[in-house]
Amino acid sequence: IDPEDAENVFVGTENGVFHSTDGGQTWEEANQGLEYGRQVRSLALSADRTLYVGLMGYEVYTSPMDSIYWEGV
């Protein structure tokens, strides 16, 4: 959950990352830059508003919160 906007929510699943802008009432995929079907094991938000996702297989990707395009670390 975005600490600056509780309506802005991200969740990691067995099918990638999903994003909601209405507090979880509706969801859309947020997987641009990730392979389809990659299992998310962890999801974190840093103080500079960068998202980090850890995938099964020990891969880590980052994305700025405002553009949601994942790049490998």
Side-chain angles (χ1 to χ4, degrees):
I1 298 174
D2 183 344
E4 295 180 14
D5 179 4
E7 296 290 300
N8 195 26
V9 181
F10 292 85
V11 65
T13 73
E14 292 182 358
N15 296 309
V17 178
F18 289 81
H19 178 223
S20 174
T21 57
D22 57 14
Q25 292 181 15
T26 60
W27 296 91
E28 60 185 47
E29 287 188 33
N31 294 317
Q32 191 170 1
L34 299 177
E35 279 185 47
Y36 177 76
R38 297 301 307 268
Q39 292 184 1
V40 175
R41 294 297 186 201
S42 60
L43 187 63
L45 174 63
S46 69
D48 69 355
R49 300 181 61 72
T50 299
L51 289 164
Y52 291 85
V53 65
L55 303 177
M56 185 171 178
Y58 306 105
E59 293 179 73
V60 177
Y61 288 76
T62 67
S63 174
M65 182 177 269
D66 59 352
S67 67
I68 313 304
Y69 183 86
W70 300 99
E71 293 186 15
V73 173

